[in-house]
Amino acid sequence: MQSSVDRTYAFVTLILLILGTVFVFSSSYYQALRSGEDTTYYLFGHLKRVAIGLGFFFLGFFLPYERIRRFLFPAYILMVVLLILTLVFGRFVYGARRSIPIATFGLQISEFVRVWIVLFLANLFATHPDVLNRPKGLLLAIVFPLSLVILVAIQPSISVAIISFLALVIMLIYGEIKIKFLTPVIITGLLLFLLAFLFLPHIRERFLGFISQPGYQVQQSLVAIGSGGLFGRGLGAGLQKFLFLPRIHNDFIFAHIAEETGFIGSAIFFILYWEVYLRGIAIANGVVDEYPRMIVLGLNAVIFLIFLIHVGVSLGLLPATGIPLPFVSYGGWALCSNLFSVGMILQISKKG
């Protein structure tokens, strides 16, 4: 049994948080000025969110993962209730109701759906190893997670719903589901996306725009990445942050990083995320018990998947989704969810 956490995993995550703070300030100070605020307005806003995120990190680190098992079903009921309340009373922003207004902030429970899916399926597979080989067991493994994904999609928060659905698929693959059973799950996901395409105009417009030609944001993102060259324009010298690329400190911060640090800086970020992913696999391989092993595999894979999606959008390889870069983009509930995941992974790495 290990007596300390995986220091490499913790150190690289910390480096990403520090670099994120630097680039949030670099990308947002002009927008703050144009809004009549001080140049550090978004920087301090981000630091406050990082502080809250660290609270979730310590929750994930100190809350024993074994105890979580008994709360998985009550947590499911609570998430269903909160997601329904979000649909009814949620704050309407960017064409969706994604958060419940509480005092001066909004609770966005949808960002934790993917975490619950990983924990639920990790427990299910550990306690019932053959569950995916039985129709009733397979139905149980799919219905509960899928019901949460649908509630998220109805908001509509399609990007978060897609990530949550992919978390389900990833866990089914780790659970060694047979292809003949996985295929209907994927088809169900495609049918849900088709419904969103047919009944949600902004999803249809975004997807058709992606097929025909990149939208304005993606075009400006490609300009930013291309203009970075090998070494970049230099820290603080990027041009796209002068309101050419909206929400650059959040949805397109990788493009900003590429513009200011170039190919070399972008490659360093790839290496950092790749190291996080590899260390996560190493932690999982060092765990004997199936339940914590599956938790690490699932949470680690989802974080890396989000990174790939964010970069894919920035490069114009995927439709614009509004997915923040893990640990780097302007903080929010996604940051809290990711830091909770890191805390749990490090807790498991310590216990071995």
Side-chain angles (χ1 to χ4, degrees), residues 6-148:
D6 188 294
R7 294 179 181 178
T8 302
Y9 195 96
F11 178 73
V12 175
T13 303
L14 178 61
I15 290 298
L16 287 170
L17 279 173
I18 293 172
L19 290 174
T21 301
V22 171
F23 285 106
V24 163
F25 175 64
S26 172
S27 62
S28 66
Y29 71 83
Y30 181 76
Q31 182 173 336
L33 282 175
R34 286 296 300 268
S35 301
E37 304 288 349
D38 187 81
T39 56
T40 57
Y41 175 77
Y42 288 103
L43 171 63
F44 284 116
H46 178 69
L47 289 174
K48 290 177 184 177
R49 288 161 172 80
V50 170
I52 296 172
L54 289 175
F56 279 89
F57 165 80
F58 287 115
L59 178 64
F61 186 76
F62 288 110
L63 180 64
Y65 61 85
E66 280 292 344
R67 290 188 181 181
I68 293 178
R69 303 176 98 149
R70 69 185 71 173
F71 298 112
L72 286 173
F73 186 71
Y76 170 79
I77 299 299
L78 179 62
M79 296 186 86
V80 169
V81 171
L82 290 175
L83 287 171
I84 292 175
L85 289 176
T86 301
L87 293 174
V88 178
F89 302 107
R91 183 181 298 159
F92 197 74
V93 180
Y94 296 114
R97 298 185 185 275
R98 301 176 185 175
S99 62
I100 303 173
I102 301 175
T104 59
F105 69 97
L107 173 62
Q108 190 172 347
I109 196 66
S110 60
E111 291 288 353
F112 291 91
V113 167
R114 59 179 178 268
V115 176
W116 183 88
I117 289 174
V118 170
L119 296 175
F120 169 73
L121 292 180
N123 179 58
L124 184 64
F125 297 158
T127 53
H128 302 85
D130 63 336
V131 68
L132 296 181
N133 295 320
R134 294 180 285 111
K136 291 183 178 179
L138 180 62
L139 195 63
L140 175 66
I142 294 173
V143 168
F144 284 96
L146 202 57
S147 62
L148 294 178

Side-chain angles (χ1 to χ4, degrees), residues 100-342:
I100 303 173
I102 301 175
T104 59
F105 69 97
L107 173 62
Q108 190 172 347
I109 196 66
S110 60
E111 291 288 353
F112 291 91
V113 167
R114 59 179 178 268
V115 176
W116 183 88
I117 289 174
V118 170
L119 296 175
F120 169 73
L121 292 180
N123 179 58
L124 184 64
F125 297 158
T127 53
H128 302 85
D130 63 336
V131 68
L132 296 181
N133 295 320
R134 294 180 285 111
K136 291 183 178 179
L138 180 62
L139 195 63
L140 175 66
I142 294 173
V143 168
F144 284 96
L146 202 57
S147 62
L148 294 178
V149 173
I150 292 173
L151 285 174
V152 173
I154 293 174
Q155 292 181 352
S157 184
I158 300 300
S159 57
V160 177
I162 289 175
I163 290 175
S164 300
F165 177 78
L166 292 176
L168 167 61
V169 173
I170 288 170
M171 290 302 292
L172 291 176
I173 292 173
Y174 279 136
E176 299 181 356
I177 187 174
K178 295 179 180 179
I179 295 296
K180 65 178 181 180
F181 294 140
L182 180 62
T183 302
V185 177
I186 295 176
I187 291 175
T188 300
L190 293 175
L191 289 175
L192 290 174
F193 177 79
L194 178 61
L195 290 175
F197 179 86
L198 293 175
F199 294 102
L200 300 175
H202 72 286
I203 298 298
R204 183 166 59 251
E205 292 170 7
R206 184 177 298 178
F207 186 75
L208 292 177
F210 169 75
I211 296 297
S212 58
Q213 64 177 4
Y216 173 78
Q217 286 182 301
V218 175
Q219 290 180 25
Q220 295 302 314
S221 175
L222 293 174
V223 169
I225 295 171
S227 63
L230 184 60
F231 298 104
R233 295 181 181 274
L235 186 61
L239 300 179
Q240 289 299 313
K241 63 172 171 283
F242 296 119
L243 305 186
F244 292 107
L245 182 52
R247 297 179 62 79
I248 191 173
H249 59 294
N250 193 338
D251 299 348
F252 286 90
I253 200 166
F254 177 80
H256 173 75
I257 292 169
E259 182 182 18
E260 296 201 340
T261 66
F263 175 80
I264 300 299
S266 302
I268 291 173
F269 269 84
F270 267 92
I271 292 170
L272 290 173
Y273 281 102
W274 183 240
E275 181 63 19
V276 168
Y277 179 66
L278 290 181
R279 288 309 307 166
I281 293 177
I283 292 170
N285 289 337
V287 176
V288 177
D289 295 337
E290 185 67 6
Y291 174 55
R293 188 182 77 87
M294 292 293 287
I295 290 176
V296 174
L297 286 174
L299 295 179
N300 186 59
V302 170
I303 290 173
F304 191 67
L305 173 69
I306 296 172
F307 159 70
L308 293 178
I309 291 176
H310 179 96
V311 173
V313 170
S314 299
L315 293 172
L317 302 176
L318 295 171
T321 57
I323 296 296
L325 188 62
F327 318 121
V328 175
S329 289
Y330 185 75
W333 288 106
L335 177 63
C336 294
S337 174
N338 290 329
L339 285 177
F340 176 85
S341 300
V342 170

